[in-house]
Amino acid sequence: NTCERPSFMRQQSSHSSVSHLSLQVDQNPHELGEGSTIQCGEPAEYGVIKWMGILPERGNVLYAGVEFEQVVLHYSDGLHKGKQYFESGPGRGKFVKLLELHPDKRFV
């Protein structure tokens, strides 16, 4: 894969670089990044990663903000607890744990 890692994965704080780096590697085994086409669930849902990061109230877990191909009633538009993390069409955005995502097999 020639995609460059997102900037948040390259940055390391001086006081927690080892644990921070291992958290990122452990939670992103497929080396996905913003713009990656993904699939998740069964039956598979397909989408594109629009944002990656840690949601403050959910601990040290990496999440992806995904814009899915299909509208789903309870999905969002990239808004989470009053903050717009990414833009997507209404009902097409969702925050998903990065570990739950896989590269879109239609394009591999």
Side-chain angles (χ1 to χ4, degrees):
N1 186 336
T2 60
C3 293
E4 185 174 304
R5 287 186 180 265
S7 60
F8 82 89
M9 294 186 76
R10 292 189 305 265
Q11 297 170 353
Q12 299 178 26
S13 65
S14 59
H15 66 279
S16 64
S17 60
V18 173
S19 62
H20 187 64
L21 181 59
S22 63
L23 168 74
Q24 293 165 350
V25 172
D26 291 346
Q27 292 189 38
N28 193 5
H30 302 293
E31 296 187 1
L32 299 170
E34 291 178 24
S36 293
T37 55
I38 59 86
Q39 67 181 58
C40 71
E42 194 60 47
E45 290 183 89
Y46 302 97
V48 175
I49 295 177
K50 306 283 273 189
W51 172 87
M52 292 173 68
I54 295 173
L55 296 169
E57 71 283 354
R58 295 191 184 175
N60 284 332
V61 177
L62 286 176
Y63 279 84
V66 178
E67 181 173 29
F68 286 94
E69 293 176 354
Q70 303 295 316
V71 173
V72 177
L73 184 60
H74 63 277
Y75 286 6
S76 76
D77 61 356
L79 185 71
H80 178 72
K81 297 205 177 217
K83 181 176 177 182
Q84 191 76 43
Y85 284 87
F86 66 98
E87 300 286 331
S88 80
R92 292 179 55 202
K94 184 178 179 183
F95 294 90
V96 183
K97 290 178 183 177
L98 200 55
L99 282 172
E100 297 176 11
L101 302 178
H102 303 277
D104 187 335
K105 289 185 172 105
R106 300 175 300 173
F107 302 109
V108 240

